[in-house]
Amino acid sequence: MEMRVAAGRWTPLLLLATLLLASNLVSGSHFRYGTMSWRPIDATDTEVGQTILADPILVRHTVAFEFKAAYRRDYEWGKFFREQYRPPNVAGGTQVWKDGGSCYTEDSCSVLGISNPSNYMLFPFIAQGFYVGWEIKLAVGRSYFELNVTGPNANDELSDTRRPCVSPFDTGDKPLCRGGVPSGTQYPTTQIDPTTNCVGSICAGSLVPYEITYPDFVSALTVPCEQVDDAEPDYCSPWSQTYGFFFGDSDTTGIPLSTDVVLEITEMNYEVTNVGNYLLGTASFYHTYQEAGVPKKKKDDFTPWTAYFTGGNRLTYSTDRLINNHQGRFRLELTVNLNYPGEVIGKQGYVPNNSPVMTALPVLPVPYTGRSEISANGVLATFQVSGFDPDIDPEAYKGNKLESNEAVYYFLGSQRKMGMLLANQVPDLKFPSRWFRAEYEEARRDCYLSSCIPVGGVADPFILVGTGANLIPAGVNLTVGQTFTPDPLNAAHNAFATFKYEGTCSECAGGNRTCTQLREEGPSGITIETPLNFTCELYEPWDNNVNLAHQPERLYLDRYSGVVQWETGINPRDVDNATYVTDFWNHRDPGDETKVTYAKRLAAKGTQPSPEQEPLQPGFYNVVFDVRSYSHDPDCHLKVYDAATLGSISPHTGKAFTLPAPGNGGLYTEAQCKAVDDENMIDIAYVSVPLDFLLFLYPPASWCSKSKCRNTQAGITTFRDEGFYGTQNDVNVLSTGSCTICGGGEWNLYDVSAAGLTDKQLNLTDYTVCLQDDDCKYDFDTVAITPAIEADICKRNTPPKWVDQASAGNDDGNTPTPRLADRPTWSTLRVVPSDPTSALASDPFIDGVPIENVYPGLALFLGQRSSEVRFNLTAVDEDDCVEMQILPIGLFRGYTMYNLDTDGVPTASQACSYASSFAGNDGNIGSTCPYNMKLEFIKRIGTTNQFYRTFVWSANNTLPQVQDPRPPNVVVCFIPFDNYQVGIRRCVNIILLSERFLYWIDARAKLTDVFSGTNDAFNTIVEDCNATRIAGSNENRYQNPCHYTPADLTTFYVSPNHTLEFYMTALQDSGNPPIGIYISEGGTMRANGTVGPPEGATFEYLEYDDKSGKTHLRDPAKRRFTWTPKEGQQCKYVLCFIGNNTRELEESIEFTSTFFWTRPFVPIPALLDERCYTIVVADQQLDMQAGSFVDAAAALPSLTSDCGMTFSMWFYPEGTTTMSLATFGYTKPGETDNIVYMLEWDPVTAVVFHDGITVQDLGQYYRLKFSTGQSYIIQTDAEFCVNEWHFLTFTIAPNGNFVLYLDGVETTHYSDDDRDFHVVAVETGSMPVVDGKVEIIGDILNNNPGYTGFLRIGSFDAVQTFNGMIGDVRIYSRVLTAEEIGAKQFVPLTATSEVGLEAYYKFNDGSQADNTLGNSVGQFNKYRALPPDTADSFCNLAGDTYCNNVAADSPAGPSETEMKAKGQLVTDLSGNGNHAAGCGPDACSTTSTMYFVFAPSPITHPCPEETLPTVVHVDGGNPIFVAGTGFARSQWLKCSFSMSDGSIKVIKAVHNTTGNISCVSPGSPDLTVSALEVTNGGVNFFTNFQLPIYMMERVVSFPETGGKVTIKDACDMIGTNLFSMGAWVYPLSQSSSALEDVISLIGMTSNDQTGLLSVRYNGARFVVYEKIGSTVTPPLGESSAAPAHNMGEGSGWHYVMLSGNTDRLVLYMDGESTELTATSISLSTCDLELGTTTTGRRAFFGYVEELSAFSGFLEACDAYQIMWGN
């Protein structure tokens, strides 16, 4: 970067006064910080008085104001502005207010009498916390006196200043009456509003109006005159002199209502530093809004009340000069709108609106941060404003989310809201103040004329001489401030315009001159005169952006997040011409976060804006924020806004209002009124509050290493005024005391320029070379400072950082840290991309900022009601110089407390307040909290740079939890501060949990016993429910109007395309809402790792209107599960639901524990409960017996000879006699039924004859018969069986061709070893043809209008009956080909894809709702699961189980008779509306039955769930049992197995039940994992449900406790003199403590001794032993290589073979041979053993496979071949 001095911006004097003399503060530094908020009152606000509380109207119009402010501590309190103070009241008496002549009363006014300096209060340091509880009264007044009426004077004129002036530019002074006119004569208004930028003559809109509320009002453009021009206010109190709190409304006389503010001191800072030396206090007071004595919610339809606190005395003298608003007024202004959203007359449960609540440090230090650097908080000099709105946004509220408060929007305050007026003294400190433009211009002109007189007194005229070429004609001379106006009668003036001469600094060649003297009375009465210099560069012509209140330059605020970015420059001396290291943006709406765009991007990363930025002046800046939230005022969009009458310019901002959208009749839209982020929206749309505080801009410094510099001499001071960095005079600040700023030695402020010190010596640049003092290793004057030396001795100051807990919620003594789930999806800088493929995702930083430096969200601390909350706040400062503070910066969301005590041991001496909306339901005792939050003294951890303060929130542990008065959900925020830089804010959400049990609200009578009559929430849930039903009556017990939670382990049945709906309703009544309800198991895993509902299902929160208006509290909580499963989702689903009150985010709940299979239940902890349900998605069929049928005649007229017809149906016959399946016909009037077609199921006994004699009865088989009314018959062979599903189809073509199909279109036989075959019958014929066309049933009906058609599916009458099930009937008005029939046989139809489909019946129409007992939704069935016993113990509340007895609200399980079909609708799914119906009582046989039943058919998708076993042998032949749902008793039921070569093997399955089948595993050529699938239809295996089957070899597993396999008489085959024995071995033990027997030969020798030859394993190698009798011999040898075992490398499998003869013994391991000592054992008889169970021998632990034994010696090559199976 280029280094050069920025000219014309500030002087070295001001710079070094700020940097070097931080301790030189004077009494002018007074107001530092302020904010206000308000809330509606309620019954707990007893301080407001019973008169108001007893009147609902007054309650609705009364608010509680909360006021917070910080002032200079050692200011001369009690001297000016009617201020008073007093200590806390003591028992038995009230303390007296004191002052030192502040004029609170005229008797005590020092202006009138004698000042009493002994009564000034400077609040000197006595003891930490000594002044907490003291009070300061901030009165209402003007100048020294109160607002009042004075006079009459000698001219009988009154002065009435009880009304503050409306315009900041109104002096309140009447003009002088001239020409002898009487007092009160109206003169034209001449006062100008300079914000209109009008110059010259008076122009429209620039006049300050005379308000209608002022005395003697006649016109806004005229003002009454007075006889004596007293230069004092006469009709209003001007802004420049007025102070105090004003509510914005008026009394019956029209006088504005106001109040003295009593500020209770809550914090005292004794550090005489730039960021300290202040007192902080709060005030609470009430006000009932009225106009002329009548309660009123707002000023008018479109204007809220404007309340404000105003005053003056911001920072004044040059040592603490405000850079932007020097000697300015301040005005904390907020709006009050007392509407109640959703208010209904007579309803007491209204939800009042609250204002936002703000907080900040009184003085926030901000280091210079250039474009190329990243600050602690982000890009450039960045900080964040803290604020929230206590109101809950119903649309954002999701039960467990913490971000559900209504949104707040941040704006920079307008000039009006900053106080508007500045003193503008010329020169500085020269009284009086020049508040208005004309006065300033005159004073400036006087200083120009007087200051440009050089030494010696020779005139240096400040005159512009006209030449005709310099804007004024020749002969005209102007002094500074004079204006030339052309004379229209002078031709020489024609070429010139009006011109005002301002003068230039160059004309005052001598530079800075003395303009006047500041005279003060010094010691012994000596008058001291101090020269006041006039620097013309600092007193330029009036500029509204300079001479009126204004925000700091280049300060940008994001209105959505409160993030402030300030382009300060790199340091106080150099211009910044670097490129931006990151995007510099403003105003990004978080609702647009997916686009990663910037609505108003100021500069892009890598750009270098032009011109180069001059640095800002270091020192104090004043900043004011205007923070807004939605007002909820319906008038905004319900009433017409007439801009012509009401105005189009905002009086607050001076900008044009956003007007109603065109074409809307002058009405704003509701969306416009909710657009609070529109800065120019009318005032009624929002509620605004102020936040006013100071910024201190300072240069980052370099620090000397403690190993190189000793802290023995004073260096350049920091915020610590002693000059030694690291003092410890404050118990709340700890330091290492080891460092000083580089550049040690004292420098006189006024000698700096003369000394000619360089930038490096002044230490004003980043990473500067340090100037060492005499005690340092390096001397700047003699040593060349290399980069290596600089890095060694100079260290840049770093901001402190939090030391986080190792994991969220793990209380290890460090700072609570946010969980990953709590981190926001968008930061204060930019959206974190969710797409891992995006370019943004590859950047490990967020716009160049390390992710850990981005504000990470809320940390969560879970405490207990009636128990103390305690945690540490630990921070570290990583540079060598540590002077640590850990400070609270306020609370938000549901809690307002302005100070945390800093006592070492918390006490209950100081009260705090909290939002009263949390009181009442849980026994809280009101709106004061006697249990304080405290921060204990700061402590250092050993000799490290880590420090901590313990946060303590005390409690009364003797109170029941429901009576704990502490609010259960608060957020408190803290910052680490090293007295030079501020670290990142950390906010901790403290949740106080309750041990009150959480209950699922169901129909248990005992719940009513517990809650009824005492709990409004529970009564609301059940108030519409029948009390007898709650008590256990059976009446309507299957309905659920109360939205009860189903019993645990309930099973639901629902068919595809029907809707299942149930509610999860929970109540805790803990005072700690909300309750969260989540799917914990069995749902669909989502991308973020959470469990969601199954595909297509929803699980949504519903709001309770609990008559309190607090639906947002969500205790009780209700969530509705809704699912309409689709075709293909037939299966069994188990879903578990958790209810909890921990306010955990769903993503962080631990779902590892369920109680699904646990019986009996154990009482569940209070904070968590789980219920699990089974959902079976199943097809329905129609079961009919003994003469019932379905009448489906509606589709018959469409079946004509034009295109022919097709009829198909699935049927499951159960009878043994001839049964009708479907009958087509018609009835003539007065005649019996005429049959056109009939399909029958006909039994035939198959026999074998020989010579006419029956030899063998083969049993009964069945055939399908088709007949017409003319008895034409076609039939299939009798090859079919009952009690299984069949598919029939017949087609009739227009030419009479007839085809009958049964079970398909061709005959298919499977291989014999599959033992699987089924027979297909296809019969053809022809129908009678007349005139070339066959007559089909539809033709008959259409040609004979009087005929009534019928199609009876099932029985024809009481004689020709059908017993069995029918499913999936299809009727087409065309002929389907054989190929189409085959393709559609096992496939559910999609009606929209079918051509000619006239009717389609699936019979999924049954539900319990079709009976007298049923669900209100009516599309699903509900069943309860009985526990092992039905004792009443399962009804206890603690276990939260269900009384599964006669009072249960559902049957125990499905039954075949629960869903009646007689007279019930059968839906046509074709879309043609040809619905059918079950036969009614007048048509069906009285003995017949017909029900809808849940049963699978061959077109149902089966759902296999598990297999037994899961591992089968690779050779096949193992029976596999498959459990699941939807298995049909079908001849096509099959299992398929995928093979390793990609082929599929299909095996016929055996149907056991609808939930269990079995099939035999096929063989596999090698080891594999096969996917087992099942089909009911022989084809179309449903790949959604696959189960793994492991086809493996089998091995022998030897347990660690011992096991043995014995091959008897092995020596009959092999002998110890010539043998080989080997096996694959997988050892599992690593123990070397004993040898494990693997393979052994054990028997008797020829001399009858016991002999043993054994291969053993010692944990590392295989070892061979022999033993004869009791003689133990050394090992014969061991394997040469150490085998890999289960815990090491390799597979763990090893091939071990021992081979021997009379000369050799060889051990082979994995093909490697080891020669051993030959064995001497000769066994005559022996057994071969694997493992052992013999006492004294170590059992082998592992697996053995592929054992082989040979009666011969094998060489290495042979052993290798055998090892691999050859």
Side-chain angles (χ1 to χ4, degrees), residues 364-651:
L364 180 68
V366 179
Y368 281 90
T369 310
R371 298 171 182 165
S372 62
E373 298 183 51
I374 299 296
S375 69
N377 290 281
V379 58
L380 300 179
T382 306
F383 58 91
Q384 189 170 17
V385 180
S386 299
F388 88 109
D389 189 321
D391 300 311
I392 299 297
D393 180 1
E395 295 180 1
Y397 192 74
K398 302 301 180 186
N400 62 319
K401 298 297 183 183
L402 295 176
E403 295 80 9
S404 55
N405 290 85
E406 285 193 340
V408 294
Y409 302 91
Y410 304 86
F411 299 92
L412 291 174
S414 64
Q415 289 182 308
R416 177 188 177 93
K417 293 188 177 185
M418 297 188 78
M420 187 62 84
L421 301 180
L422 305 182
N424 292 314
Q425 294 171 353
V426 185
D428 195 20
L429 308 183
K430 176 67 170 67
F431 293 94
S433 298
R434 312 297 181 174
W435 304 104
F436 307 113
R437 179 172 182 168
E439 297 171 345
Y440 172 83
E441 295 287 5
E442 182 179 358
R444 176 173 169 270
R445 178 176 178 272
D446 291 344
C447 263
Y448 262 101
L449 295 177
S450 63
S451 64
C452 292
I453 302 176
V455 178
V458 178
D460 184 7
F462 219 100
I463 298 174
L464 178 63
V465 180
T467 64
N470 61 350
L471 301 178
I472 57 176
V476 176
N477 298 328
L478 298 177
T479 58
V480 172
Q482 284 187 325
T483 300
F484 163 73
T485 302
D487 183 355
L489 301 179
N490 189 338
H493 290 188
N494 291 344
F496 297 91
T498 300
F499 171 73
K500 183 178 181 180
Y501 176 51
E502 298 288 2
T504 64
C505 289
S506 62
E507 295 187 37
C508 193
N512 297 338
R513 307 295 184 87
T514 298
C515 177
T516 186
Q517 305 287 331
L518 175 64
R519 292 174 173 82
E520 297 178 293
E521 186 174 317
S524 303
I526 300 174
T527 299
I528 301 174
E529 294 189 357
T530 303
L532 293 179
N533 291 334
F534 173 76
T535 305
C536 61
E537 289 178 331
L538 294 181
Y539 300 93
E540 297 179 348
W542 179 280
D543 183 345
N544 286 341
N545 294 323
V546 175
N547 298 93
L548 297 177
H550 54 280
Q551 302 285 357
E553 293 182 67
R554 305 199 298 267
L555 185 139
Y556 304 98
L557 170 66
D558 183 79
R559 67 186 54 168
Y560 299 99
S561 64
V563 173
V564 180
Q565 294 175 275
W566 197 13
E567 191 164 15
T568 61
I570 52 177
N571 59 45
R573 300 177 63 86
D574 302 309
V575 298
D576 191 351
N577 55 14
T579 58
Y580 287 98
V581 72
T582 184
D583 289 328
F584 182 33
W585 56 266
N586 197 24
H587 301 327
R588 183 184 49 73
D589 186 344
D592 194 29
E593 60 188 41
T594 58
K595 297 182 180 179
V596 196
T597 59
Y598 306 91
K600 292 185 180 179
R601 182 155 59 184
L602 304 178
K605 183 176 181 179
T607 61
Q608 181 179 1
S610 180
E612 300 167 328
Q613 290 289 6
E614 300 282 356
L616 297 178
Q617 181 175 337
F620 288 103
Y621 291 80
N622 163 235
V623 62
V624 176
F625 297 97
D626 177 13
V627 184
R628 305 175 182 178
S629 67
Y630 181 38
S631 72
H632 296 274
D633 193 329
D635 284 351
C636 179
H637 64 274
L638 296 179
K639 295 189 176 181
V640 174
Y641 187 83
D642 182 1
T645 303
L646 301 174
S648 60
I649 303 296
S650 168

Side-chain angles (χ1 to χ4, degrees), residues 776-819:
C776 287
K777 177 179 179 181
Y778 302 103
D779 186 338
F780 181 77
D781 295 329
T782 61
V783 178
I785 306 298
T786 65
I789 293 176
E790 181 176 0
D792 183 36
I793 65 177
C794 297
K795 297 185 178 181
R796 184 174 181 179
N797 179 264
T798 59
K801 298 180 180 179
W802 294 112
V803 179
D804 287 337
Q805 295 170 343
S807 59
N810 176 24
D811 188 9
D812 54 10
N814 291 326
T815 308
T817 182
R819 302 161 301 168

